[in-house]
Amino acid sequence: MELKLVPVSPEDKSTLINLYELYEYDFSKYTGRDVDRNGKFEVNIDYYWEGDERWNPFFIEVADTIVGFIVVLFENMDTDPDPTHVIYDFMILQKYRRSGMGRKAAIMAFNMYKANWLVSQMAENITAITFWRSVINEFKKGNYTERYREERKKYIQEFTTKI
């Protein structure tokens, strides 16, 4: 099956918001976040399409079925002509996890841009840390660095695709 990263258009914003609801639900065990009085997690992604070209959301699709999403942020684009690229948000629907689709989508994203990259995970999210270490190690053949930021309680992997 062919996996594709499909740019999310403003017309598909509501679909991405629906996926973010599921994403926020998954992360609530780490963030402690609660739903609002309507039983929803408040999600606002309007800024993705308000002229701020730093945000690059993609649906992850297989056979025209959405299996997740990824958001690539050009972190410091407003001050640096060579911005650092960040995997800002990434989610594979539970049904498709452990199928290799997430790994393939991540590598496709890395190959889309020649850039310096940052990927971070919450220290409590052992599953994400294990996933990203494995993907990046395979992709870069061990040529990356990792650090832990105590004040943010996050692991961060750094590497480049410029070479």
Side-chain angles (χ1 to χ4, degrees), residues 88-151:
Y88 188 78
D89 285 324
F90 181 85
M91 185 193 73
I92 299 294
L93 294 168
Q94 286 192 15
K95 174 181 175 180
Y96 301 102
R97 292 180 189 167
R98 302 192 186 284
S99 68
M101 290 182 197
R103 177 177 300 273
K104 187 172 182 180
I107 290 170
M108 285 178 79
F110 297 150
N111 282 322
M112 286 175 66
Y113 305 102
K114 300 295 181 205
N116 294 321
W117 285 87
L118 294 176
V119 182
S120 69
Q121 309 87 45
M122 292 181 255
E124 304 87 17
N125 192 344
I126 303 302
T127 303
I129 295 166
T130 302
F131 171 79
W132 286 109
R133 282 177 178 163
S134 173
V135 169
I136 295 166
N137 187 53
E138 175 188 321
F139 178 69
K140 291 303 296 177
K141 298 179 179 28
N143 190 17
Y144 72 98
T145 60
E146 180 178 284
R147 58 190 160 99
Y148 179 71
R149 291 196 51 190
E150 179 67 39
E151 74 282 5

Side-chain angles (χ1 to χ4, degrees), residues 30 64 98:
Y30 306 115
D64 295 323
R98 302 192 186 284

Side-chain angles (χ1 to χ4, degrees), residues 65-76:
T65 298
I66 297 171
V67 300
F69 72 91
I70 185 169
V71 177
V72 178
L73 169 65
F74 300 168
E75 186 175 57
N76 45 358

